Every structure is written in C-alpha cells, then in structure tokens.
Amino acid sequence: MSSRLLEIAKKFNVFYLNGFEKNSCRPFIVCGQQVGLIRPDVMKELIKYPEVFFIRDVLKDDKSFETIVELNPAYRDYAERTKQVDTILRDMRTKGLFDAALKGWRDECYEVLNIHNVSLLKMDRSATCLFGIRNFGVEINGYIQCPDRGLCIWLQQRSSTKQTWPNKWDNMVSGGLSVGYGIRETAIKEAAEEASIPSCLAEKIVSAGCVSFFFESERGLFPNTEYVYDLELPTDFIPFNADGEVQGFELLPVAECLERVFSPEFKTTSCPVIVDFLIRHGFITPENESHFTDVVELLHVPLCKLFTYRQSKKMENGEKNGQN
Amino acid sequence: MSSRLLEIAKKFNVFYLNGFEKNSCRPFIVCGQQVGLIRPDVMKELIKYPEVFFIRDVLKDDKSFETIVELNPAYRDYAERTKQVDTILRDMRTKGLFDAALKGWRDECYEVLNIHNVSLLKMDRSATCLFGIRNFGVEINGYIQCPDRGLCIWLQQRSSTKQTWPNKWDNMVSGGLSVGYGIRETAIKEAAEEASIPSCLAEKIVSAGCVSFFFESERGLFPNTEYVYDLELPTDFIPFNADGEVQGFELLPVAECLERVFSPEFKTTSCPVIVDFLIRHGFITPENESHFTDVVELLHVPLCKLFTYRQSKKMENGEKNGQN
C-alpha cells in the first residue's frame, strides 16, 4: 500500500508539489487582496483586455519585484466587477479560448470571497480554475458497521452526463458551497439531492475537519478545501439519486474501497476525503503506510499561506470603502 | 472561541509562520541529506569547529547559492559521527553555551534518521533543538463517554521536576520514539509508564493520524510530528502515574478542556493533538470556529517540504557506501 498512497497524494497535489515553485503563476488581486493565481497561458490572453486587468510589477520585499494581475480597482462595486469579468469570459468563450474549462459553462456562479468572507464578485463555476480561485466544498463519508464485513463505505458513481469527471467513482455526497447556505446546511441539502438521505438521518452528520490540496489539470488550477463530514448510516439504508447527477451507489468494505481509490476510475480530487477518513478511523496507520506523515501533511497543504499577497493598508482601506 | 484557537495555532507554529521565511537558518546536512535547520546563534559557535562542521556555499538552483552546514562527510560511520558531535556538544556544555537547551542534558539519545529511516548518528535529546532535527513522538487522547457530562477527556499534569514544561497540563499520554520500539508499541509502553493503563486496555488505541507543527523557543527549533491515537476508556478507569513524571490526572468535559488548552498552564506543544481531537470528533466545527480551515492547515504544516535539501545523486551514493 505504502507508495501507492503517496503517489495518489502527489497526483491530487500536482500543482502544490510541482507547479507552485516554478513561480510562473501570478497573484490575482481584487480589492487589494489576492483571491487567485494565474497561469502564463491565461495571462497571455488577459493582457488583451488592459482596461479590465492591470498587469504590473509591484515591490515584493525590500529587494525584489513581482508581477501581479489586478482587476481594475476603479470598478465601483460587486455588480460592476461581476459584469466586467463576465463580459470578458463570454468573449473568450466565443473565441473558443480555454475550451477545456469554458466548454463546461454552467450559468451557475461561484462567489469570489475576500478573507473576511465578503463577496467581491461572482463568476461562472467553469471559469474559476482559469483564475486559480480558492474553491470550498462539502463531502460526506457515508458508512455502515456491517456485522460480517466490518466497516463498509458507500461510494457513488457520477453520471455519464456530468461536465466534469463523468462516470468516475466519488464519495457518497459532495457539493460546492452556494451563497445563502451554511456549510453544514449545504452538506444536508446535498445529502438529500444526491443520495435521498432524509433530514432525520442527515442531521446526524459529524464534522470531522477539512482537507486542502492544490490540483492542476488541463482545465486550470484547483486550490481546493473540502469540509468533511462523517455519517454512520443504518445497515438497511440504501442511497438513491434524486437529481440525475449520479448513476449509482455501491457499498464497499475498506480494502476494496482503497483499491477503488487507487484505480483510475476514482475522481482524483475526491481521493483526499476518503484517504483522510481511512486515516482518522485507524485503517491507514504508521504501521501499514511507510509514508504516513507525508501523506497526512499532503491532505492539508497550507493554502492559507499561498494566497497572501496584500496591498498596503492604505490602499486596502480605500478599496473597502468602494465595496458597497 | 474563533480567534483564540488561531492564536494558539500561531503560537505552536511560531517558527513556521514567522521564522522560516526570514531565511536566516541554514540546512544541516549529514550524509548528503538535510536532517535539520541551524539558527544563526548556533552557526556562530559551530564555525569554531571547522574540522567537524563544514560551512560552505552550494548552488541552490541555476541562479543562486545558499549556505549549508555539513557534518564532515569523511566520517566513516554512525559511531564516528555520533562521537564527533557528542564531543563538541559536551565542550559547548562545559563552556556554558546554549544553557537553555543543554542544561537539560539527559544522557538519553535521540536517533537522527535519514529519509529511509536509517540512523545516521545519535545525539543527546537536549541538543536536537540546536540543530533543528525533526522530532517524532506519540500521544494518546484518553476519553470517556460520560452518561451525564457527555464526552470527557483525561489530561495529565506534568511533574514539577520535569526538565521541560514542569507543572504544565498535557495530554493523557505522550512520549518520544525510542530506537527498537515501533510507533504503536511506544504508545502502549508509554500508556503503562505514564498512566498505568494495562495492556488489555492500551491495545484498544486507534490510530487517528498525526499532527505536524514548527515551534521555536529560547531552547531552539522544534519541527515536531506527533503520531496520534485515540483511546476510549471505561468510565470507571482512573489513570495513575507509574514513573514519577506526572503529578496527577484530571477528567474534563470538552468545554472545560478547551479552556485549559487556552490557558497559559497548558504545554504549548501539546495543544495540536487535543485541538485535532476536538476537530475530528465534531466539537470544533466550521460553524463555531471562523478560522476553521486555517487552524486545520496549521495542525499539519508541510515539514516534509521544509527539509528537502539533498546533494547530487553522485555524492549521495558515495555517502551511502560510507554508512556501514
């Protein structure tokens, strides 16, 4: 098991381990705060919209400069920032640019938050990976204590019609945070939609931490944090899908579940949550996993430290006033 | 609760958050691999032993150099490396140097391992913080499900005669790894010595992950990783000390336990394990802790990425041959 698990952890952290240190991506600044990270291929296109995206060198420390991409700070408010970015994304989409990402256009928006959880703008979910926006979601590990097979875990197989990772195996319930819903509330809502878990059962979810990782694919950058919940289900409960996004569920004992995680049929970015579950519940241990501490560290990479560019206090205060 | 928890996480990661990026500490290399990090004040003294410690500039990448401290690579084997370092540590101790660390001389050695878990040398436990050697230990969260008070946690108060953190509150059981003992085995051995937990109970410990953090004190640098175990105890079991290193135990409900963690009476470097426990068991949640994701990330800082200096393959192979 040992090195296979580290290989998986390296796979879902491919950007954290290989991309970030190349230092070729630039901070994306909105209202004086870093909200994302922009790859050179995206930068090359943003340069063509100089009235919207300001690309400039700023003093990094006493000695060196770094290039940043800043959304025009003159935009008055949330609505104007949203509109300006949306116009450009639609223009790029029309031109067939960043097809891997933008072909998945969903007409479903993601809120771009500052560190005080204030929404600065929203953009289509398909585009956030172009700007390397931090993404937050919820996932539920659904399990039963089976009298003869020991602990067993419910996995879902994603629908063949999903825009991302069609047909792949996934954790029982997962979903992105939506505006107006709390984190726990989102988990309970998704449990109903994805797996028809009645609220009397879903209310029993137990918060168990979060995982953070930094993935990269042909679509873009994914600095993801998933809030993790565990839910012990009655042995006779069988989940079934309610929203058409799942083609089925399967109940697997731990060893088989881990084999599924190692297979190419498992959604790469869903591995951290199930691996974390198996570590917390004593199935993956320092005794059976030689890279135990490395793997645990790679389930919680310090995204909080990677998005730290901030403009001077004075400018920031100026921006704050402009947010209303 | 919110910001108090982040303050605690910043306290036990004071070096990770404030010291590391100043870049004033130098990699400590033994047999071609980085095993530690050396502060300028220690560097200043090591310079006086140029036959033992080589201080030199090496190419970092294509553009820049960095200074490293290397244990003389001509030393034949484990025994010679151990003897040479020990001689210098005793010399420093005689001169009254690094008193905060070396006054705690224990005549109890810590093995300095390479990434393949091969011992390169051993040094007195009191001195490892001078070289910023990665430190591995075990900790057990002992708890009961109390019928009227809910989940309650056993804490220990350290003896007033302990070299480090006397009188402070601590987790029920903790200890450093010793040569010849496995990780789980160490936890069970410490459970007997520190809390008189019989093996029939101690065998029920459940591996639950690990925490990694990077602390600094007047003694030195502490890049620590603790393997974490949970142990649900019978409600009528009362721990008592067997080795004279503990002055007592106390059983606290979650809320009181957390208050104890926030107090200056709790050993700073033992906070990560209990905070991790309270997160994994659903007591600290995204709903009651506004810095939830930051705190979880700070319980698992990427020590695996901070000790990555390695000499070229050729030199390393040369060293490997010299290890026997």
Side-chain angles (χ1 to χ4, degrees), chain A residues 21 207 212 282 297 303-305, chain B residues 21 212 282 297 303-305:
Chain A
E21 284 175 359
S207 171
S212 295
E297 288 174 16
L303 296 179
C304 61
K305 279 201 81 179
Chain B
E21 284 176 359
S212 294
E297 288 175 15
L303 296 179
C304 62
K305 278 202 82 179

Side-chain angles (χ1 to χ4, degrees), chain B residues 97-108:
Chain B
L97 290 170
F98 306 116
D99 197 42
L102 297 179
K103 78 173 178 210
W105 193 273
R106 303 194 193 187
D107 286 320
E108 185 193 329

Side-chain angles (χ1 to χ4, degrees), chain B residues 177-249:
Chain B
L177 292 184
S178 311
V179 177
Y181 289 91
I183 296 165
R184 186 181 167 85
E185 199 182 359
T186 302
I188 292 170
K189 177 173 77 73
E190 293 286 344
E193 290 172 11
E194 290 200 344
S196 305
I197 299 173
S199 61
C200 62
L201 274 183
E203 291 289 350
K204 293 181 180 158
I205 55 170
V206 178
S207 170
C210 62
V211 295
S212 294
F213 54 97
F214 206 151
F215 179 64
E216 179 175 21
S217 76
E218 74 291 354
R219 286 192 285 139
L221 299 177
F222 299 86
N224 287 11
T225 297
E226 303 289 335
Y227 294 97
V228 175
Y229 294 89
D230 289 354
L231 176 58
E232 183 172 353
L233 290 161
T235 50
D236 60 354
F237 175 80
I238 296 174
F240 61 96
N241 182 242
D243 64 4
E245 301 206 344
V246 178
Q247 56 180 291
F249 291 91

Side-chain angles (χ1 to χ4, degrees), chain A residues 130-299:
Chain A
L130 297 177
F131 293 88
I133 306 289
R134 273 191 81 171
N135 189 54
F136 295 87
V138 295
E139 300 204 29
I140 302 177
N141 296 295
Y143 67 100
I144 65 164
Q145 296 286 1
C146 180
D148 48 337
R149 299 200 296 169
L151 188 138
C152 293
I153 297 161
W154 279 107
L155 298 179
Q156 67 149 273
Q157 187 172 20
R158 298 163 68 86
S159 158
S160 59
T161 59
K162 284 210 91 157
Q163 291 277 11
T164 58
W165 309 93
N167 294 313
K168 296 286 184 187
W169 285 92
D170 203 340
N171 297 307
M172 183 181 70
V173 170
S174 60
L177 292 185
S178 313
V179 177
Y181 289 90
I183 297 166
R184 187 182 168 84
E185 197 182 1
T186 302
I188 292 170
K189 177 173 76 77
E190 293 286 342
E193 290 172 9
E194 290 200 344
S196 306
I197 299 172
S199 61
C200 61
L201 276 182
E203 290 289 350
K204 293 181 179 159
I205 55 171
V206 178
S207 171
C210 62
V211 295
S212 295
F213 55 98
F214 206 151
F215 179 65
E216 179 176 20
S217 75
E218 75 290 355
R219 285 193 284 140
L221 299 177
F222 299 86
N224 286 10
T225 296
E226 301 289 336
Y227 294 97
V228 175
Y229 293 88
D230 289 353
L231 176 59
E232 184 171 355
L233 290 161
T235 50
D236 59 355
F237 176 80
I238 296 174
F240 61 96
N241 181 243
D243 64 3
E245 301 206 343
V246 178
Q247 56 182 290
F249 291 92
E250 194 175 350
L251 183 69
L252 291 179
V254 167
E256 284 177 50
C257 186
L258 200 48
E259 284 307 314
R260 188 70 54 88
V261 168
F262 289 141
S263 84
E265 300 314 308
F266 206 90
K267 177 176 175 257
T268 306
T269 52
S270 291
C271 292
V273 167
I274 179 80
V275 171
D276 173 66
F277 177 86
L278 295 172
I279 288 171
R280 287 186 290 104
H281 289 262
F283 295 102
I284 297 168
T285 71
E287 267 71 30
N288 65 24
E289 170 52 51
S290 61
H291 295 87
F292 188 75
T293 63
D294 294 353
V295 170
V296 175
E297 288 174 16
L298 288 172
L299 292 173

Side-chain angles (χ1 to χ4, degrees), chain B residues 36 165 263 299:
Chain B
W165 309 92
S263 84
L299 293 172

